[in-house]
Amino acid sequence: MGGILALISLLLLLFIAMEMARTSAERENKSSSAGLFWSTAKEEGDLVHKAGPADDSSAPGDVVDGGFSSLDGMLQWAIGHSDSAKLKETAQDVQRLSPSELKQRQLEIKELMEKLKMPSDAQLMQIALDDLNNSSLSLDDRLRALQELLILVEPIDNAHDLCKLGGLAVIIRELNHPDPDIRKLSAWILGKASQNSPYVQKQILELGALAKLMKMVKSSSTEESTKAFYAVSALIRNNVAGQQLFYAEAGDKMLQDILSNPSVDIRLRRKAVFLVGDLAECQLENIDKAEMPFFSNHFFLKSVVDLTASIDLDLQEKALAAIKNLLQLRTTEAMVFKDFCRLDDALERMKKQLEDLMLEEYYREYATDVENLRKEVKHIFHEKLGKVRDYFIGS
């Protein structure tokens, strides 16, 4: 019985493959990588599908828009959409086939499935990279190729494949494009590719992209500057070598300029103070490494503490989290936080604000969480102050 069912499966697959081949010219070519548009600069055979709802709303989970995620999925769909009487008739027909006829059916199925096989993500990335290397490519097609890469590069294995394909150099080159949207997407791709991947971080840093991205952070285009900052953050996160290079490129001044300038877009200021906290946390996790000099810069520390007076609650919370990490560093001085940054005053001001927010039901839970963080910061701060007092008393 198992052999007969297997043969039925082969015939059903053959039927479906033939039907798909017959209708493929009438349907839009699509791939298994959701959310991608084929670049129009390529031939029809190189096309990727557009994201969208499936044509048949009753299609099962194994059916991808324009195809199936597996042969099993294709078979299950076929059985579910076939007439039971015809299935029985097919089973009877199978029993009458000779071994040579069955072998021929298998070969036909294999040939058709090879023709219908969708390209891999690596192949799709190569198509997009080929487009970007085409100097005559239109702006729209260049943007489309970058949008495809932005989606494809997110899985870490794909990011590594992009490196092997030589794609990083291609994307970094696009950072110099005159169109701000091209530069923005290119920075975004580099950020996505390098997050949580020391291997990709190393490759991008060695290609010299950090300095260019830091320059882009100063762009008059908010979208370009925020995406460039995202890429910078992803490149140096948990990467000591990247952080040293960031400091060598005056990254501390860049951060201080963003934090101390209230006219800078709020999204960029949030990202900047979050990065400060992240850098301080990385330093705490690498206690054998020398602390970056800017962590003890009085003006830099004040620019972080001053953010607690912002009207933006999210910015306040991120500043508080950064202060918590900064206070735990060896080179930061408690008296600087007290006398120069006036951290005590800032914490008391926040306490009053949070108490008022707790009276409003909508903000109560959030305000309670931030108040707990504020208390923790105050405790760490006073502990650090206590050590200073003990030192002077003891001496």
Side-chain angles (χ1 to χ4, degrees), residues 26-40:
E26 302 170 5
R27 300 185 59 181
E28 187 175 8
N29 282 312
K30 303 182 179 185
S31 98
S32 60
S33 296
L36 302 182
F37 292 86
W38 282 102
S39 175
T40 56

Side-chain angles (χ1 to χ4, degrees), residues 63-116:
V63 180
V64 182
D65 192 16
F68 297 84
S69 62
S70 66
L71 293 180
D72 285 343
M74 180 183 287
L75 176 58
Q76 293 301 321
W77 180 89
I79 292 174
H81 288 73
S82 299
D83 181 87
S84 58
K86 289 185 178 180
L87 278 177
K88 185 177 180 180
E89 183 180 340
T90 300
Q92 293 171 346
D93 290 341
V94 165
Q95 297 180 60
R96 290 192 286 269
L97 290 176
S98 67
S100 60
E101 288 174 323
L102 289 174
K103 183 67 175 178
Q104 181 61 31
R105 294 293 186 272
Q106 290 175 338
L107 293 174
E108 290 172 357
I109 289 171
K110 183 177 180 181
E111 181 181 346
L112 284 169
M113 292 307 296
E114 282 296 319
K115 289 180 180 178
L116 292 168

Side-chain angles (χ1 to χ4, degrees), residues 179-388:
D179 184 81
D181 287 334
I182 294 290
R183 298 195 301 269
K184 176 193 74 175
L185 278 170
S186 300
W188 198 354
I189 291 167
L190 293 174
K192 273 200 173 185
S194 58
Q195 61 184 355
N196 304 317
S197 175
Y199 172 74
V200 180
Q201 286 176 329
K202 183 174 183 292
Q203 299 292 317
I204 296 175
L205 289 170
E206 289 179 351
L207 289 168
L210 182 61
K212 178 62 182 174
L213 290 165
M214 290 174 65
K215 184 178 179 181
M216 287 171 61
V217 171
K218 302 175 184 178
S219 170
S220 58
S221 165
T222 299
E223 291 301 318
E224 180 179 347
S225 62
T226 52
K227 290 300 184 288
F229 194 94
Y230 163 72
V232 170
S233 300
L235 267 177
I236 67 175
R237 182 164 290 124
N238 298 319
N239 188 310
V240 175
Q243 291 167 17
Q244 291 171 342
L245 183 57
F246 175 75
Y247 178 68
E249 295 288 345
D252 56 328
K253 185 178 186 306
M254 182 191 80
L255 286 174
Q256 188 174 334
D257 288 345
I258 294 171
L259 297 176
S260 59
N261 186 351
S263 66
V264 171
D265 186 271
I266 194 68
R267 292 174 296 171
L268 193 55
R269 300 183 84 197
R270 288 174 189 155
K271 289 179 184 294
V273 75
F274 184 83
L275 178 58
V276 170
D278 192 70
L279 291 173
E281 183 177 7
C282 182
Q283 189 74 69
L284 292 170
E285 293 171 352
N286 293 274
I287 55 175
D288 57 319
K289 303 291 184 181
E291 293 182 0
M292 294 295 174
F294 68 86
F295 283 135
S296 56
N297 181 293
H298 298 189
F299 294 98
F300 179 82
L301 294 174
K302 190 174 188 304
S303 68
V304 178
V305 174
D306 286 349
L307 293 179
T308 60
S310 170
I311 60 173
D312 184 83
L313 297 177
D314 189 29
L315 184 58
Q316 282 187 356
E317 182 184 11
K318 285 179 169 57
L320 203 56
I323 293 167
K324 173 187 170 182
N325 290 339
L326 289 167
L327 281 168
Q328 297 176 74
L329 295 175
R330 299 188 305 273
T331 55
T332 56
E333 299 176 25
M335 295 308 294
V336 171
F337 277 105
K338 183 179 186 299
D339 297 332
F340 190 79
C341 303
R342 303 189 68 84
L343 180 56
D344 264 330
D345 294 343
L347 292 174
E348 286 304 308
R349 185 176 57 248
M350 282 196 76
K351 179 182 178 182
K352 179 64 171 66
Q353 181 188 24
L354 292 169
E355 286 174 348
D356 291 342
L357 284 174
M358 287 180 199
L359 298 176
E360 302 180 39
E361 185 176 354
Y362 180 78
Y363 291 108
R364 188 171 299 143
E365 184 176 353
Y366 173 78
T368 300
D369 290 341
V370 179
E371 170 59 13
N372 290 334
L373 176 60
R374 189 200 68 83
K375 288 178 179 177
E376 190 177 358
V377 169
K378 183 177 180 179
H379 176 72
I380 295 171
F381 176 41
H382 286 175
E383 261 196 349
K384 198 173 181 89
L385 279 174
K387 290 178 181 178
V388 174

